[in-house]
Amino acid sequence: MVVAEELEKRFGDVVAVDHIHFQVEEGEVFGFLGPNGAGKTSTMRMIECVSPKTMGSLTVFGMDSEAHPREIKQHIGVVPQENNLDPDFTVRDNLIQFARYFDIPVDEASRRADELLSFLQLEEKKNVSIEKLSGGLRRRLILARALINRPRLLILDEPTTGLDPQARHLIWEKLRGLVTQGNTVILTTHYMEEAARLCDRIVIMDQGRILEEGTPQALVKRLVGDYIVEADATVEVRNCLEQHRIPFDTAGEKVQIVTPEPKLITTLLLEECHLEQVAVRPASLEDVFLKLTGRTLRE
Amino acid sequence: MTPIVRIPFSYRFGKVWRRNLVTFMRTWKVNFIPPFLEPLLYLLALGLGVGSFITQVEGVSYPRFIAPALISIAVMNAAFFECTYSSYVRMYYQKTFDAMITTPLSIEDVILGELCWGATRSFIYALLMFPVLLAFGVIDLPSSFLIFPFSLLAGFLFASLGMCFTAVSPGIDTLNYPSFLLITPMFLFSGTFFPLNLLPVPVQIVAYGLLPLTHVVAVMRGFCLGILSLDLLLSITWLAIASTLLCPVAIHLMKKRLII
């Protein structure tokens, strides 16, 4: 559905996207993960045909993104990072107005608008002005708006950033519904949980480059491991671990031991190192992410 | 970089125009007051007030002299302020253009739609002022009907001019510069409230050479007073050429600002 080769985006001297390759297949949920400034949004904007690429090739639905922007955009739904609902219109009229831009006839637009309002549980708000909506409601309406043209490809740029857990779970639930209907979705996020729950395949980006690609489970297993045992990073613990030649990482005030045998390590820590508390958890995408992109702050 | 082979414009600019018309009409009551009120106030203050000291200007009464200027100024302000402050709000604060260009609309469609809407606003103002001026008996029929198509041309020019400033303005406050430094002088020195030949020759040359409002006033005056001369054709040509030049500049500058 989307094929990028040697794709580059520069803003003056700054390379935002640095010769990346990726391929999104029909029916999958493809995630772009990365810290702020990794080049995720620049990549999305090129796929959306609103930002010209500097170099390389990019095809969407088999068409060149710069030769056929109208044809491509006709079949794309976009949830941008910034809310850009039209404040001059009510909730329902935002959908109707947007449908016009896609040449959807009025009867059909109004049928689809009602359908989408009910799908995203916005019926009660349909005549409310945009300014009176909470962040979560706005996000839901933007998702409804992105679906008004029944897109073959849905692009979501940080769909749940800044939302409370309830609103986030509702969006996830709706997205999963769309995915089971066979929609193709590309999303960016820096919530690992979101990526792990929704994505079939992810790429991890940093400084304009793609560092890794794969299914969330495969990435975790390959790059981190199965389980992580955590304990307080005291001198005794470190010495004890070094004595037993167990490799560990220090993350803040904790030591982390990656292992396929959490029981063994736990027993050892509790008995040999005389610890009172240890925690065991499965390795997660967050561990992969931090391993690849480091722990230092980006902005 | 691959060459972009496509026609940037399409019929879709009409959708942008329509969006603006819909929002305008929803608040039509407040939008329709100024074009009714403005000519009334000006005719009372300047026509009857100041005008009582003036017997005739260029062979006509003072209210008849300023009536076409009032329409010209309204046409200028309607389009210019629509495509500066209002377009800036839609572009920068509401991100309306960003949302539009993710649909099959191109940036060229969006800006052309905005410019046509600016021209339409000028037309609406001319349309609403018409009966007021007619009631005062300060414009003549049937030649005055010509102001309607002409207000679209003049409006389109001021819309394009405004959009150029919108495209390069770093913030909404800096849009005050063109309104103080260009619109206000034009309002006063384009043969609006006194004949241009009272001014020194260099000023006259600047007014005719560079100020679009001078030509708009000249043409409006010809239409309203029923004096159709060849000079009007010259002014219309000047305005048509200026529009043809400014419109692509406005679109180009907006594209440079928004497509990054």
Side-chain angles (χ1 to χ4, degrees):
Chain A
M1 273 218 140
V2 183
V3 182
E5 278 162 3
E6 287 290 310
L7 186 61
E8 186 197 53
K9 177 76 193 177
R10 279 171 181 273
F11 297 105
D13 291 338
V14 181
V15 185
V17 176
D18 195 356
H19 299 90
I20 61 170
H21 294 252
F22 64 87
Q23 191 162 341
V24 181
E25 308 294 341
E26 186 150 12
E28 76 174 334
V29 183
F30 194 89
F32 283 82
L33 270 72
N36 290 330
K40 305 186 299 284
T41 297
S42 296
T43 307
M44 293 308 111
R45 287 171 51 85
M46 286 191 278
I47 304 173
E48 290 158 15
C49 307
V50 298
S51 171
K53 61 182 189 270
T54 310
M55 269 221 283
S57 92
L58 178 63
T59 60
V60 185
F61 313 132
M63 291 179 278
D64 183 273
S65 68
E66 283 176 20
H68 302 280
R70 287 192 205 277
E71 292 87 338
I72 294 171
K73 291 194 285 183
Q74 182 72 37
H75 300 288
I76 287 186
V78 175
V79 172
Q81 203 175 109
E82 273 182 310
N83 281 337
N84 57 16
L85 292 162
D86 199 327
D88 292 333
F89 292 92
T90 62
V91 166
R92 190 169 182 277
D93 285 347
N94 255 277
L95 300 179
I96 303 282
Q97 183 60 35
F98 221 65
R100 280 205 186 110
Y101 303 147
F102 289 95
D103 283 325
I104 300 166
V106 182
D107 302 355
E108 177 64 18
S110 120
R111 199 162 40 239
R112 288 190 198 180
D114 292 331
E115 236 173 71
L116 288 167
L117 289 174
S118 110
F119 176 61
L120 286 154
Q121 298 165 28
L122 287 162
E123 284 145 314
E124 284 173 19
K125 303 281 179 189
K126 68 179 182 185
N127 295 321
V128 170
S129 90
I130 301 303
E131 271 118 21
K132 297 206 175 83
L133 297 183
S134 67
L137 288 169
R138 281 177 204 215
R139 233 38 206 155
R140 265 146 73 186
L141 180 56
I142 285 207
L143 180 57
R145 193 184 70 176
L147 295 169
I148 195 83
N149 59 326
R150 305 230 163 108
R152 289 175 62 194
L153 172 64
L154 187 60
I155 300 176
L156 309 144
D157 197 356
E158 297 186 9
T160 62
T161 298
L163 298 188
D164 62 31
Q166 286 84 356
R168 176 171 302 153
H169 278 272
L170 182 76
I171 298 248
W172 286 346
E173 185 195 313
K174 297 305 170 191
L175 285 177
R176 268 199 301 271
L178 291 168
V179 172
T180 44
Q181 288 164 31
N183 285 281
T184 311
V185 178
I186 299 180
L187 68 87
T188 76
T189 183
H190 38 228
Y191 294 124
M192 299 306 121
E193 194 194 348
E194 184 162 285
R197 275 168 182 258
L198 294 174
C199 297
D200 299 313
R201 221 145 51 89
I202 56 170
V203 292
I204 296 180
M205 273 187 97
D206 195 19
Q207 295 174 344
R209 292 199 200 93
I210 289 179
L211 304 179
E212 288 293 341
E213 183 191 323
T215 65
Q217 301 84 347
L219 282 181
V220 173
K221 195 154 174 72
R222 179 156 59 85
L223 295 165
V224 184
D226 297 313
Y227 292 94
I228 289 182
V229 180
E230 282 183 334
D232 290 332
T234 57
V235 184
E236 296 86 64
V237 172
R238 284 165 199 249
N239 289 341
C240 178
L241 284 169
E242 273 161 18
Q243 254 173 39
H244 290 85
R245 297 176 188 225
I246 296 167
F248 64 91
D249 283 321
T250 315
E253 292 173 351
K254 296 275 182 196
V255 288
Q256 295 187 335
I257 303 121
V258 180
T259 171
E261 303 271 7
K263 216 170 170 179
L264 262 164
I265 300 285
T266 318
T267 319
L268 181 117
L269 278 170
L270 290 172
E271 288 172 5
E272 304 283 325
C273 309
H274 313 292
L275 268 178
E276 280 172 13
Q277 267 190 12
V278 286
V280 183
R281 60 177 177 83
S284 71
L285 262 187
E286 186 132 350
D287 302 310
V288 176
F289 188 81
L290 290 173
K291 183 175 175 183
L292 291 174
T293 61
R295 287 185 179 272
T296 37
L297 270 180
R298 291 315 169 103
E299 279 175 338
Chain B
M1 204 162 146
T2 44
I4 298 167
V5 200
R6 62 185 172 103
I7 304 157
F9 297 103
S10 71
Y11 64 93
R12 294 178 180 86
F13 78 89
K15 296 169 186 295
V16 180
W17 176 85
R18 189 172 166 183
R19 179 227 168 262
N20 290 338
L21 178 70
V22 169
T23 51
F24 178 83
M25 290 310 284
R26 219 176 17 218
T27 49
W28 66 275
K29 278 180 203 147
V30 62
N31 292 331
F32 282 10
I33 291 168
F36 271 116
L37 207 61
E38 259 175 41
L40 258 166
L41 296 177
Y42 275 101
L43 278 177
L44 286 175
L46 291 176
L48 300 180
V50 179
S52 60
F53 296 99
I54 304 161
T55 44
Q56 282 203 324
V57 182
E58 291 184 334
V60 295
S61 72
Y62 194 61
R64 276 169 66 80
F65 181 78
I66 62 163
L70 296 180
I71 304 177
S72 307
I73 291 162
V75 160
M76 169 177 77
N77 287 344
F80 187 83
F81 288 107
E82 179 65 29
C83 287
T84 48
Y85 295 98
S86 303
S87 290
Y88 198 92
V89 167
R90 284 192 285 274
M91 169 186 77
Y92 186 81
Y93 294 98
Q94 305 188 357
K95 313 266 178 224
T96 311
F97 301 172
D98 290 343
M100 284 173 171
I101 59 171
T102 63
T103 74
L105 272 65
S106 67
I107 186 69
E108 289 87 352
D109 293 333
V110 174
I111 305 306
L112 187 63
E114 288 277 311
L115 296 181
C116 289
W117 167 245
T120 307
R121 247 193 114 136
S122 295
F123 174 82
I124 295 171
Y125 267 52
L127 198 69
L128 294 170
M129 288 175 80
F130 190 78
V132 181
L133 297 173
L134 208 59
F136 272 88
V138 289
I139 55 174
D140 292 341
L141 290 179
S143 61
S144 288
F145 283 122
L146 288 170
I147 68 166
F148 297 130
F150 180 66
S151 67
L152 282 171
L153 168 68
F156 193 79
L157 173 59
F158 289 117
S160 304
L161 185 66
M163 194 59 85
C164 290
F165 290 114
T166 302
V168 297
S169 190
I172 198 162
D173 296 326
T174 40
L175 282 175
N176 293 339
Y177 288 117
S179 43
F180 291 146
L181 299 176
L182 187 64
I183 298 300
T184 309
M186 268 206 280
F187 167 77
L188 294 169
F189 297 102
S190 299
T192 40
F193 302 107
F194 56 89
L196 263 183
N197 57 25
L198 296 178
L199 294 170
V201 176
V203 180
Q204 287 185 44
I205 291 171
V206 170
Y208 274 109
L210 296 175
L211 302 182
L213 189 62
T214 310
H215 295 282
V216 174
V217 171
V219 175
M220 286 285 189
R221 196 162 277 147
F223 288 166
C224 290
L225 303 177
I227 309 160
L228 306 177
S229 68
L230 215 60
D231 287 354
L232 299 193
L233 211 61
L234 221 65
S235 283
I236 292 173
T237 312
W238 190 101
L239 294 164
I241 291 172
S243 300
T244 321
L245 293 176
L246 269 180
C247 166
V249 172
I251 290 173
H252 173 77
L253 290 174
M254 282 304 267
K255 202 174 162 183
K256 235 176 101 180
R257 176 169 187 146
L258 293 176
I259 304 297
I260 50 162

